[in-house]
Every structure is written in structure tokens, then in C-alpha cells.
């Protein structure tokens, strides 16, 4: 499955549009990652725990979007966009969403 942020796929022609597809993931951030991030905030540096959680959530959202495109019989998803938000009263949840247009190619 081809996924691209552009509106076309080089060397291929879009022959039909199957619909807009989405991938959504909401995941909790545990207190140990919060403690590590708090220390990084004081002393500087990168928060590996948060970065790993973000990477996993992004990969899962893309997989979900790909699966939905395949269910529509698509060959590619064009115009892919990603969005990240924090949710919850204590900002303890991470939401990653992606969207794009499922298309058929020649």
C-alpha cells in the first residue's frame, strides 16, 4: 500500500477515488514516563519514553488507516495528514489521528 502526503503518486495515475479514510489511536501515558519526562524538563534532554509512545501510536494509526483503505479496494492513500493531541483532565492521554483519500491506481 502506497501512502503519501502528496495528492498524486509519481509514475501512476489515479483512476478512482474510494473515499476518505482515517486511523485513530488513543493511548495512556503512565506515571513512570511522566516522572522521567519531569526530570528531563528540569535537567534537559529528550524524553525517550514519550518519544517511543508517540512512535508506536503513529505507526498504529497509519496501520489502521491502511487497513480501512484496503477494505475499500484501494491501491494507495494520498493527501495523508497527521495530528497529535493530548487529552484528559491531567493530559494523561495521547491521541494520534491520520487521514487521507483512498484511491485506485493504474
Amino acid at each position: 500500500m502506497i501512502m503519501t502526503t502528496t495528492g498524486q503518486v509519481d509514475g501512476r495515475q489515479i483512476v478512482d477515488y474510494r473515499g476518505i479514510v482515517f486511523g485513530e489511536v488513543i493511548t495512556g501515558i503512565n506515571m513512570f514516563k511522566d516522572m522521567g519526562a519531569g526530570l528531563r524538563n528540569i535537567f534537559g534532554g529528550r524524553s525517550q519514553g514519550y518519544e517511543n509512545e508517540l512512535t508506536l501510536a503513529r505507526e498504529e494509526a497509519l496501520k489502521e488507516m491502511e487497513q480501512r483503505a484496503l477494505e475499500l479496494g484501494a491501491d494507495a492513500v494520498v493527501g495523508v495528514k497527521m495530528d497529535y493531541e493530548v487529552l484528559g483532565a491531567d493530559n494523561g492521554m495521547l491521541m494520534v489521528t491520520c487521514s487521507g483519500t483512498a484511491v485506485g491506481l493504474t
Side-chain angles (χ1 to χ4, degrees), residues 25-36:
V25 173
I26 299 174
T27 183
I29 306 297
N30 69 41
M31 78 173 184
F32 296 111
K33 290 178 185 164
D34 283 342
M35 289 181 352

Side-chain angles (χ1 to χ4, degrees), residues 57-104:
R58 181 176 56 241
E59 289 171 355
E60 285 299 313
L62 287 168
K63 283 180 195 174
E64 184 175 291
M65 184 176 67
E66 178 181 20
Q67 182 59 41
R68 290 177 176 167
L70 288 169
E71 290 170 4
L72 295 174
D75 301 306
V77 179
V78 297
V80 173
K81 292 182 173 38
M82 301 289 302
D83 189 32
Y84 307 89
E85 299 289 334
V86 289
L87 304 171
D90 61 352
N91 291 330
M93 303 295 284
L94 172 66
M95 178 175 70
V96 178
T97 59
C98 57
S99 63
T101 303
V103 299

Side-chain angles (χ1 to χ4, degrees), residues 2-37:
I2 299 169
M3 290 192 280
T4 179
T5 58
T6 64
Q8 62 189 16
V9 177
D10 286 345
R12 307 285 296 271
Q13 183 176 350
I14 295 174
V15 293
D16 64 346
Y17 294 85
R18 308 285 169 97
I20 298 170
V21 288
F22 299 90
E24 303 96 4
V25 173
I26 299 174
T27 183
I29 306 297
N30 69 41
M31 78 173 184
F32 296 111
K33 290 178 185 164
D34 283 342
M35 289 181 352

